[in-house]
Structure formats: C-alpha cells, structure tokens
Amino acid sequence: MTQFQDPSAGGDSLKPADVLGHLLIVRPLEHVASIPTSFGDKDAIRCDVADLDANEIHRDVLGVPGLLIGGLKNSIGGVVLAVMSQGTAKPGQSAPWMLEGKAGDPASTTRAEQWLATNSAAWFGLSDPTPAATAPAAAVVI
C-alpha cells in the first residue's frame, strides 16, 4: 500500500521577540519572489535559524521584511552569524527587528564554531563543521 502525505503547511514560525538578544546562525536557503501578504505581494527569504542560546533550530522560516531580503539575499548558500536586536522606531511605526552581524566578534565566532562542530550534521547537513561565518551586508530585519 502506498503511503500518502498531506502537503506541508510551511516552515517553522520564528517570533523575533522570542530570540531577542540571542546569538543566531542563519542559513539563507532561497529568495522567494512575490508571496501574498496582508500588505500585498512581497519578496521573502526562506532560511534555517539556529538559536545558540536556546539550543533550538527553526527550519524553513520565511522572512518578508525588505531589509531582511537585502541583507540575506547575497548570503544564500552561506552561513550568517548575528544577534537579534531591535532598531529605532520611525514615527507611527513599530521598531524594526534587526540582525547585528557577529562574524567579526571572536567570542561569538568561537561559540558558533563549537556549536557547528557538534551540531552541523544533525541541524544543517553541512559537510564542513566550521564553515566561514559571514556577516549580513547590513543590519537586517526579520
């Protein structure tokens, strides 16, 4: 008898507030053009996110904000090391969620390399346990 599956409802949900101040490894997987949102069609970035502080992985997360797209689009296939933070709100708007690059911070990179050495095969399926971490092009909003 053939085993059938229902279609996937999508990736994991990641609330930026839940990872505020956490060291994250972000693996951008794909640029997705024109997905429907409540604000109209928007581009998105699909990524895996490892939260080193909570020791959790969030797979197939879809990020829509424009700064996230710009900051991670050129890193597809790479590994970004960052801390979740919040920017300054513009009048009438919420403060943006931002990723602050930590690839240049020795303590953060050492911690990330140690985590990857232990978890890379299980979490990301990476063959090299210590790939070069890259910083986002700029702070990015998730």
Side-chain angles (χ1 to χ4, degrees):
M1 176 179 238
T2 303
Q3 293 286 11
F4 294 101
Q5 293 180 318
D6 287 331
S8 172
D12 292 344
S13 175
L14 177 63
K15 294 179 182 175
D18 293 342
V19 295
L20 180 61
H22 291 199
L23 184 61
L24 307 172
I25 298 174
V26 181
R27 183 173 168 228
L29 302 170
E30 170 187 24
H31 173 247
V32 182
S34 191
I35 63 165
T37 73
S38 58
F39 299 105
D41 287 355
K42 302 281 183 186
D43 284 1
I45 291 287
R46 187 177 309 280
C47 55
D48 289 339
V49 179
D51 179 346
L52 276 58
D53 291 318
N55 198 28
E56 297 176 343
I57 189 77
H58 304 274
R59 293 198 179 275
D60 203 24
V61 174
L62 198 58
V64 176
L67 290 176
L68 175 67
I69 311 291
L72 294 177
K73 191 166 148 179
N74 292 331
S75 297
I76 291 174
V79 181
V80 173
L81 182 62
V83 168
M84 180 64 71
S85 67
Q86 256 188 312
T88 304
K90 292 181 181 179
Q93 297 181 3
S94 298
W97 293 102
M98 304 174 76
L99 291 174
E100 293 179 26
K102 291 296 182 180
D105 176 45
S108 296
T109 55
T110 297
R111 188 169 163 214
E113 288 169 353
Q114 290 171 345
W115 188 91
L116 283 170
T118 304
N119 298 291
S120 65
W123 295 113
F124 294 125
L126 297 174
S127 57
D128 179 359
T130 56
T134 57
V140 293
V141 178
I142 192 166

